[in-house]
Amino acid sequence: MTVLPGQAAAADDAAAAQHDAAAAPADPLVLAASWLPSAEDGPGPTMTLSTLGLDGYPAARTVLLSCFDGERLHFHTDSRSRKAAELAALPRAAVTLVWPEAARQLVVVGDVAPVTDAEARTAYAARTRYLQVLAWVNDHEAAADTPARRRELWAAFEHERPGADLGPPSTWAGFALTPVRMLLWRGATDAASNRLAYERHPGGRWSQESWPG
């Protein structure tokens, strides 16, 4: 579809107005929904997941956003991973998503809980074949092996289960983050950037402030 200059400018103006504190929705999940793919769209972009390490230091890594269900951000990992252990010890985390081409950044801080078995299976089924196989063969033993040996293990798995519909391994673990704080940043080329900072209060009410970008 061809977008005319006037249409592009109107879209930019609408997005900017939505990011103005006076015009922004009272519920940041409404605004986040306009940025994030819906649950029906399947896996979304990658995001940085930050947790508190068992040694007390922050820990960060990149994971795939499995879906945004309108209330929570879902992600999945191996139940034997460090992040799974960290979330078991302290079920709180932050995720950061960045869209450089759109000059947008979303930071979500909140409480984390395991997803249901049905939700975990749905997320696994939506993964590419590569990521499905990866969930089966990507363990600490393989990680410490040589590149050639890892390729052999991968080929052996594919030989044993060629083209099969895979179910998730027993180590497949899903989590969902319920936001308590949200920062939505939008850049600009002709004005200072800014952030909309939201905080959830007891009872579910959100407050918001505009912060410097």
Side-chain angles (χ1 to χ4, degrees), residues 75-211:
F75 58 93
H76 292 75
T77 186
D78 192 299
S79 61
R80 300 164 293 182
S81 65
R82 287 188 180 185
K83 51 186 169 294
E86 291 163 356
L87 290 170
L90 183 63
R92 295 176 178 174
V95 295
T96 303
L97 297 99
V98 181
W99 297 268
E101 69 286 351
R104 290 178 177 178
Q105 182 185 83
L106 171 63
V107 181
V108 184
V109 178
D111 300 309
V112 178
V115 301
T116 66
D117 181 66
E119 288 172 328
R121 286 184 169 276
T122 297
Y124 184 83
R127 290 292 201 271
T128 63
R129 170 75 182 190
Y130 173 83
L131 292 178
Q132 288 181 341
V133 175
L134 186 67
W136 279 92
V137 304
N138 193 31
D139 56 22
H140 286 284
E141 183 178 354
D145 221 327
T146 64
R149 180 57 181 157
R150 289 199 296 274
R151 285 192 290 270
E152 290 174 5
L153 292 171
W154 193 282
F157 183 93
E158 288 282 35
H159 179 74
E160 293 173 3
R161 308 182 73 167
D165 289 334
L166 295 176
S170 60
T171 53
W172 177 253
F175 299 91
L177 184 151
T178 299
V180 296
R181 299 191 192 103
M182 300 181 71
L183 289 173
L184 298 100
W185 174 88
R186 184 171 175 83
T189 58
D190 58 353
S193 59
N194 77 313
R195 289 177 289 171
L196 290 179
Y198 287 85
E199 183 165 357
R200 193 197 298 264
H201 297 276
R205 181 183 65 84
W206 289 94
S207 61
Q208 64 167 284
E209 294 180 338
S210 289
W211 290 1

Side-chain angles (χ1 to χ4, degrees), residues 47-64:
M47 60 187 184
T48 300
L49 170 68
S50 302
T51 55
L52 185 64
L54 300 180
D55 58 2
Y57 285 95
R61 75 288 285 165
T62 300
V63 299
L64 187 67

